[in-house]
RNA sequence: GCCGCCGUAGCUCAGGGGUAGAGCGCGCCAUUGGUAAUGGCGAGGUCGGAAGUUCGAUUCUUCCCGGCGGCACCA
């Protein structure tokens, strides 16, 4: 006797073991048809799975959230089947689900081209139409390895060899296609439906290691019905419109150019935005007890050797070679011959700083520091250069020249927790001011290769963890991803199309103070090592502004908008009054422009709306007579008639932004 | 750095072995118009760069540069 409890609490009894399919049929023919899989005591299983003991069981249909996982994974299998049919010389490797879809990696001598995607997709629809039964088989491991090796599927064989000995080796068969898979799967390919689309083609290294061969990856998206698919595709299109690279051009904020790859040319409007954010940050740091410093761009190799960067970070550094015996002080790229410098050359290497920390330690080391002075929170809007791999460059998000809102907190070990908590609170408050209520915090703990004793790591990790809990922040664990010198927190924001970017960071460092011999005088009169906390909130201005542009889709709140107000006239008769309005705005410290062109008001509204100017003050003869303005907000249809004085006061208050009153 | 795709006017894109075209934008003229497209005229391109094939290359081939999407990288 097997008793099945359904989600609604009702119970069904069977004489013996029963499959999910039988259970569904027992409940009703409609459900039997719609059933895709079962959840038995919390675990998702095939519809054909035999339930032998009393269990809580839910029948999964396409309406369940779980169904998407099944559909997407089946979609990957159907794609692999299609690929094997069309291109038999292809080897299949792995094909997991990802957010919104799936991918499958294939090994093939000739790479796929975009046209192939259409053919594969068409074949996938055929396979769905064939409605092939999907069956699960458990194989003997060595039989499975032999089977795949004989079939020329060396990657699959390698995967099976890696499966732990106590695990079952299960294969799923649909038509002539058979694949190693943990499952579960749909009962047949027909259940997949039509709501899928292959989206992109990419190279990907076998097992994610760049030393391995590159495979061909095909990405796809898959949904429960066509409506969901259409919605998703539409969302992608909309997201593209808020791409910061596109808005940067459309809104005349910045540009990139071959002559300085990976560096930003900031235009007046973009630079206004940048400065607004920077001035805001400066104020918040000041209030937060930071002192601001500025340190050199070009720093002698010796310091980088001492700090360890020359050894660990050399590949990412821009290095200039200088012959100091020459009067001109010319610099040359490393390796380039210096003309006429065979003799007497006194060559020196200088590097553009990729980080600010070693320089900050130099400031810390000037004179002596008492324990009474700690913590010292030393901030710098530090310009850094890193030679990033060409394939990594991405608009403002990944550049070779950037400015961090960097700071190093020199403190005692006892102060780590409190400083961390204070930092997280400051960060959350700042993110909130920029409109980011949600962000992901990752905790990266000790990596395999690390400096410092386990005891020190225990304490550092505990301090970070305790501080995070105290700050009420939820963590995602990122095991083994800490820096070699200490654990770190990463604060991650998301761009318009769902790509994650690390912005804020907070790292505990016991190593650099040691390497650069930083010390303070303790209560006992003896020298002690300070701990360094490396921390940034925005991360880099470039990346953060990229995220900010996408977050607001260019429609900035008043305090951030590069151009806040346009005063637009209806007729020339209002020109003089418009100039008065303009003056009132400027006196209120607002960034305003006057538009007295001989154009229709429709034309002006449309143009400034496209430019995403938050406020348009329309003035015509009526307003001039009454001493008012007609205020129109970005995106709104209605207008508000206000006395000029009141409009100026209200806009001034609003434009003060989050720093208002401070 | 690796794989694939792409590079034609300021922008979006069409075209194609005989030195190029649209829309928007831009300029000029007319229009003084009450809240998201007024009308007319006009300017603007070494078709990413370098070689090669050809009588002739923007078009075909090769290499280089850059961009895009991934992968790898990301103190």
């Amino acid at each position: 006797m097997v008793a099945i409890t359904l989600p609604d609490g009702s119970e069904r009894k069977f004489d013996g073991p029963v499959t999910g399919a039988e259970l569904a049929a027992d409940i009703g023919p409609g459900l039997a048809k719609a059933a895709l899989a079962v959840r038995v005591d919390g675990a998702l299983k095939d519809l054909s799975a035999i339930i032998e003991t009393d269990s809580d069981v839910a029948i999964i249909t396409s309406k369940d959230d779980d169904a998407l996982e099944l559909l997407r994974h089946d979609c990957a299998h159907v794609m692999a089947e299609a690929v094997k049919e069309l291109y038999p010389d292809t080897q299949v490797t792995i094909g997991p689900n990802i957010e919104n879809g799936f991918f499958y990696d294939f090994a093939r001598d000739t790479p796929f081209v975009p046209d192939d995607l259409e053919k594969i997709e068409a074949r996938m629809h055929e396979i769905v139409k064939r409605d092939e039964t999907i069956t699960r088989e458990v194989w003997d491991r060595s039989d499975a390895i032999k089977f795949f090796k004989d079939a020329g599927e060396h990657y699959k064989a390698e995967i099976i060899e890696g499966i732990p000995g106590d695990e079952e080796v299960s294969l799923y068969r649909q038509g002539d296609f058979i694949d190693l898979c943990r499952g579960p799967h749909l009962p047949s390919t027909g259940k997949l439906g039509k709501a899928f689309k292959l989206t992109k083609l990419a190279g990907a290294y076998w097992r994610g290691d760049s030393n391995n061969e590159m495979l061909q990856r095909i990405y796809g998206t898959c949904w429960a019905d066509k409506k969901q698919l259409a919605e998703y595709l539409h969302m992608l299109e909309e997201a593209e419109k808020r791409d910061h690279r596109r808005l940067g051009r459309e809104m005349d904020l910045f540009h990139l150019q071959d002559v300085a790859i990976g560096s930003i040319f900031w235009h007046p409007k973009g630079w206004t935005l940048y400065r607004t954010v920077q001035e805001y940050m400066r104020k918040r740091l000041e209030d937060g007890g930071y002192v601001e410093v500025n340190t050199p761009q070009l720093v002698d190799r010796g310091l980088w050797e001492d700090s360890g960067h020359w050894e660990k970070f050399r590949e990412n550094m821009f290095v200039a070679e200088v012959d100091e015996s020459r009067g001109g002080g010319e610099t040359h790229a490393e390796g380039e011959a210096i003309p006429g410098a065979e003799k007497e050359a006194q060559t020196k290497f200088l590097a553009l700083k990729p980080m600010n920390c070693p320089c900050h330690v130099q400031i810390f080391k000037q004179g002596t520091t008492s324990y009474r002075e700690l913590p010292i929170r030393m901030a710098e809007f530090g310009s850094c250069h890193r030679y990033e791999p060409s394939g990594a460059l991405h608009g403002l998000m990944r550049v070779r020249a950037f400015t961090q809102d960097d700071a190093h907190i020199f403190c005692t070990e006892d102060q780590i927790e409190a400083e961390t908590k204070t930092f997280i609170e400051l960060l959350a408050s700042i993110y909130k001011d920029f409109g980011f209520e949600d962000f992901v915090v990752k905790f990266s703990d000790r990596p395999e290769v690390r400096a410092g004793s386990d005891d020190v790591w225990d304490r550092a990790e505990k301090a970070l963890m305790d501080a995070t809990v105290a700050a009420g922040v939820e963590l995602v664990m990122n095991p083994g991803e800490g820096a070699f010198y200490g654990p770190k927190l990463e604060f991650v924001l998301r761009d318009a199309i769902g790509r994650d970017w690390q912005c804020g960071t907070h790292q505990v460092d016991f190593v650099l103070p040691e390497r650069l011999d930083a010390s303070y005088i303790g209560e006992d009169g003896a020298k002690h090592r300070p701990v360094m906390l490396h921390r940034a909130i925005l991360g880099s201005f470039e990346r953060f502004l990229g995220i900010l542009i996408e977050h607001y889709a260019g429609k900035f709140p008043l305090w951030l908008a590069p151009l806040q107000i346009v005063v637009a006239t209806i007729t020339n008769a209002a020109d003089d009054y418009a100039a008065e309005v303009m003056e009132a705005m400027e006196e209120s410290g607002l960034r305003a422009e006057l538009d007295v062109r001989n154009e229709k008001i429709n034309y002006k509204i449309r143009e400034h709306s496209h430019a995403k100017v938050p406020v348009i003050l329309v003035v015509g003869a009526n307003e001039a007579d009454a001493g008012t303005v007609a205020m129109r907000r970005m995106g709104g249809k209605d207008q508000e008639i206000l006395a000029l004085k009141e409009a100026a006061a209200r806009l001034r208050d609003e434009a003060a932004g989050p720093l208002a009153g401070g």
Side-chain angles (χ1 to χ4, degrees):
Chain A
M1 181 73 101
V2 176
I4 306 289
T5 309
L6 296 169
D8 64 1
S10 65
E11 201 178 75
R12 272 165 197 271
K13 290 189 163 49
F14 295 88
D15 293 339
V18 64
T19 67
E22 287 161 1
L23 172 64
D26 190 55
I27 297 170
L31 187 61
K33 205 174 164 203
L36 300 178
V38 283
R39 184 174 283 285
V40 182
D41 291 333
L44 213 50
K45 296 200 168 167
D46 294 322
L47 212 49
S48 61
I50 298 164
I51 306 164
E52 299 187 66
T53 56
D54 295 357
S55 316
D56 290 326
V57 178
I59 308 285
I60 306 295
T61 70
S62 67
K63 295 207 166 40
D64 291 279
D65 291 342
D66 292 330
L68 272 184
E69 295 301 305
L70 287 164
L71 287 168
R72 285 170 183 164
H73 191 48
D74 269 69
C75 203
H77 273 237
V78 169
M79 177 169 83
E81 183 178 0
V83 167
K84 287 294 285 183
E85 285 184 10
L86 290 164
Y87 314 97
D89 59 327
T90 306
Q91 291 187 64
V92 295
T93 68
I94 55 161
N97 278 358
I98 51 172
E99 199 171 359
N100 300 320
F102 62 91
F103 67 75
Y104 211 113
D105 285 348
F106 302 97
R108 187 166 180 245
D109 290 340
T110 29
F112 293 114
V113 296
D115 279 350
D116 295 334
L117 290 192
E118 280 180 41
K119 289 178 202 152
I120 295 166
E121 207 174 290
R123 182 60 65 99
M124 287 170 70
H125 283 290
E126 274 179 43
I127 293 169
V128 170
K129 225 175 257 169
R130 282 186 223 150
D131 196 17
E132 295 167 349
T133 303
I134 301 172
T135 52
R136 182 174 194 270
E137 301 168 14
V138 176
W139 280 45
D140 171 77
R141 139 191 323 263
S142 47
D143 287 351
I145 292 170
K146 182 171 188 309
F147 172 80
F148 282 109
K149 276 191 175 158
D150 290 349
E153 296 279 6
H154 303 289
Y155 292 92
K156 278 290 174 198
E158 192 179 323
I159 293 168
I160 297 170
E161 281 165 356
I163 293 178
D166 53 348
E167 268 183 44
E168 271 184 352
V169 174
S170 62
L171 274 63
Y172 278 81
R173 189 189 294 272
Q174 57 194 55
D176 293 331
F177 179 69
I178 185 160
D179 196 2
L180 170 77
C181 188
R182 199 174 275 123
H185 274 281
L186 304 175
S188 72
T189 59
K191 300 281 185 198
L192 179 57
K194 295 177 176 174
F196 59 83
K197 183 174 166 59
L198 302 185
T199 50
K200 51 196 173 190
L201 210 49
Y205 297 107
W206 167 236
R207 304 214 140 146
D209 185 338
S210 59
N211 295 314
N212 291 342
E213 56 276 33
M214 183 156 271
L215 308 171
Q216 304 291 317
R217 175 171 298 179
I218 301 176
Y219 285 91
T221 187
C222 177
W223 299 85
D225 56 53
K226 282 193 164 179
K227 185 162 168 266
Q228 282 183 15
L229 174 64
E231 275 168 13
Y232 173 70
L233 296 176
H234 182 251
M235 188 275 291
L236 280 186
E237 273 175 39
E238 289 303 305
E240 251 176 60
K241 291 182 189 160
R242 54 205 290 167
D243 188 309
H244 74 281
R245 292 164 299 186
R246 176 177 175 150
L247 288 172
R249 186 177 56 240
E250 287 176 0
M251 298 177 71
D252 196 18
L253 300 174
F254 64 88
H255 85 269
L256 288 118
Q257 202 180 317
D258 294 4
V259 295
I261 298 158
S263 301
I264 311 298
F265 289 81
W266 287 103
H267 295 17
K269 287 200 177 85
W271 192 241
T272 298
L273 176 65
Y274 185 114
R275 279 173 42 224
T276 303
V277 171
Q278 189 177 44
E279 278 155 26
Y280 163 87
M281 285 305 292
R282 187 165 269 139
K283 179 73 170 47
R284 295 300 309 259
L285 290 174
E286 244 174 65
D287 292 350
Y290 286 78
V291 289
E292 185 178 331
V293 300
N294 194 264
T295 59
Q297 297 291 316
L298 274 168
V299 178
D300 192 85
R301 164 184 181 163
L303 181 63
W304 303 116
E305 284 172 346
D306 292 345
S307 71
H309 287 81
W310 196 260
E311 183 200 348
K312 304 257 184 210
F313 207 67
R314 174 82 186 76
E315 290 290 295
N316 290 290
M317 289 163 71
F318 286 99
V319 179
E321 190 177 342
V322 184
D323 175 7
E324 297 214 320
S325 69
R326 296 156 60 86
E330 290 172 63
T331 61
H332 299 267
E334 195 189 359
E336 185 187 333
I338 300 178
E342 301 80 14
K343 289 182 201 167
E344 305 284 325
Q346 295 171 21
T347 303
K348 252 184 131 168
F349 289 101
L350 296 169
L352 279 167
K353 64 174 172 184
M355 293 175 206
N356 307 298
C357 25
C359 289
H360 288 185
V361 175
Q362 302 316 303
I363 293 180
F364 179 86
K365 283 174 66 180
Q366 296 302 112
T368 55
T369 303
S370 156
Y371 72 95
R372 294 172 194 275
E373 295 169 64
L374 302 182
I376 291 173
R377 308 187 185 102
M378 192 184 290
E380 176 173 5
F381 295 122
S383 290
C384 295
H385 289 79
R386 293 182 194 168
Y387 190 83
E388 300 289 351
S390 60
L393 300 176
H394 185 93
L396 294 176
M397 305 297 201
R398 190 84 179 265
V399 289
R400 286 179 176 162
F402 54 96
T403 301
Q404 297 177 312
D405 64 317
D406 199 11
H408 294 93
I409 300 173
F410 296 89
C411 63
T412 65
E413 209 178 309
D414 291 343
Q415 291 170 330
I416 295 174
E417 187 180 330
E419 284 301 307
T420 301
K421 179 167 181 285
T422 306
F423 170 74
I424 293 171
E425 285 163 358
L426 180 65
L427 176 138
S429 159
I430 288 172
Y431 279 14
K432 188 163 183 244
D433 282 350
F434 285 112
F436 299 108
E437 302 276 350
D438 296 316
F439 50 89
V440 174
V441 187
K442 292 187 185 166
F443 184 99
S444 299
D445 60 13
R446 66 192 76 188
E448 281 191 23
V449 182
R450 58 181 180 265
S453 67
D454 283 353
D455 173 50
V456 169
W457 275 88
D458 286 343
R459 284 178 295 160
E461 284 172 3
K462 183 170 187 307
L464 264 195
M465 189 62 90
D466 289 350
T468 318
V469 170
V473 177
E474 223 173 285
L475 284 180
V476 176
M477 292 307 293
N478 203 12
E481 293 297 314
F484 73 92
Y485 52 70
K488 63 178 178 177
L489 297 173
E490 292 173 24
F491 301 85
V492 176
L493 294 174
R494 193 161 259 220
D495 75 8
I497 63 167
R499 284 181 288 220
D500 287 339
W501 297 94
Q502 183 200 313
C503 289
T505 179
H506 180 91
Q507 303 167 21
V508 181
D509 183 359
F510 292 102
V511 174
L512 196 62
E514 181 78 32
R515 292 194 69 129
L516 296 179
D517 193 27
S519 62
Y520 66 92
I521 308 298
E523 208 170 347
D524 57 3
K527 280 186 172 184
H528 297 274
R529 263 319 151 219
V531 176
M532 271 176 92
L533 305 178
H534 305 245
R535 42 108 295 163
I537 292 172
L538 309 182
S540 82
F541 279 86
E542 288 75 8
R543 176 176 293 180
F544 190 79
L545 289 176
I547 295 272
L548 200 61
I549 290 165
E550 301 200 354
H551 177 67
Y552 285 116
K555 295 169 191 162
F556 296 110
L558 197 65
W559 74 284
L560 287 169
L563 176 59
Q564 297 171 316
I565 292 156
V566 167
V567 180
T569 51
I570 294 171
T571 77
N572 287 154
D575 283 5
D576 290 347
Y577 178 64
E580 242 177 78
V581 174
M582 182 66 192
E583 206 175 307
M585 294 304 129
E586 283 177 338
E587 273 172 16
S588 295
L590 295 157
R591 298 184 286 269
E593 270 179 18
L594 189 56
D595 185 356
V596 293
R597 290 173 303 168
N598 176 19
E599 296 292 351
K600 285 185 167 184
I601 192 62
N602 270 336
Y603 180 92
K604 294 185 185 182
I605 297 281
R606 178 179 155 79
E607 191 175 271
H608 297 123
S609 296
H610 277 156
K612 302 179 174 64
V613 179
V615 173
I616 302 174
L617 297 179
V618 177
V619 297
N622 299 340
E623 286 76 14
D625 289 345
T628 57
V629 294
M631 181 159 78
R632 185 195 161 103
R633 318 288 307 211
M634 173 75 220
K637 282 250 177 266
D638 49 332
Q639 52 172 332
E640 197 178 357
I641 309 288
L642 292 170
L644 173 55
K645 262 195 179 168
E646 192 189 342
R650 263 162 67 167
L651 289 169
R652 185 191 55 222
D653 290 350
E654 186 180 336
L659 292 179

